[in-house]
Amino acid sequence: MATKAETIVVVTDANVLVNLIRIGQLPLLGQLDGYRFLMPAEVVNEITEQDQREALSEALAKGYLEQVVVDTMESLQLFAEMRDVMGKGEAACLALAANRYAMSFGSFSELL
């Protein structure tokens, strides 16, 4: 677990968010001190059910989830390479984590 001076950045994919939404636990992200949860725009685009999109909007408004963009040259290059072998959301998460942030999770259980 992170100390008060540290913040661990987690770039999360759609499956983690959808599973938390389905069990009504997306707000749990806001209760984890020392973590900052980010999702790329490509992940937002993968979530198409209206109730799930509303839950994401609420999480964004309350600040326990942040939307980010793949925008550096290195991230864009890796994203372009990875999207041919995996989904756009997964590729965006990996590109961001590899070039800007500490970790990327496709499974919430990896945090526990």
Side-chain angles (χ1 to χ4, degrees):
M1 189 65 77
T3 66
K4 289 186 180 203
E6 299 175 334
T7 299
I8 297 173
V9 176
V10 180
V11 183
T12 186
D13 192 24
N15 65 329
V16 173
L17 299 172
V18 168
N19 286 329
L20 287 171
I21 292 167
R22 284 184 179 161
I23 63 170
Q25 294 300 314
L26 189 60
L28 179 66
L29 299 181
Q31 298 172 16
L32 296 173
D33 292 333
Y35 289 90
R36 182 175 165 213
F37 293 92
L38 309 178
M39 67 176 175
E42 290 80 5
V43 168
V44 175
N45 293 335
E46 290 179 344
I47 299 175
T48 58
E49 293 184 22
Q50 185 61 32
D51 61 325
Q52 293 173 357
R53 291 185 70 81
E54 289 171 4
L56 286 182
S57 293
E58 183 177 335
L60 289 166
K62 290 185 175 180
Y64 50 85
L65 188 59
E66 300 172 48
Q67 185 171 331
V68 293
V69 178
V70 177
D71 61 357
T72 67
M73 187 60 77
E74 296 84 6
S75 294
L76 288 166
Q77 182 178 358
L78 183 56
F79 173 71
E81 293 170 13
M82 299 304 292
R83 71 174 181 213
D84 291 334
V85 295
M86 61 182 65
K88 288 182 181 179
E90 291 88 353
C93 287
L94 289 173
L96 287 167
N99 289 292
R100 290 174 44 186
Y101 301 112
M103 52 179 52
S104 175
F105 285 106
S107 170
F108 191 70
S109 64
E110 295 174 42
L111 278 178
L112 304 176

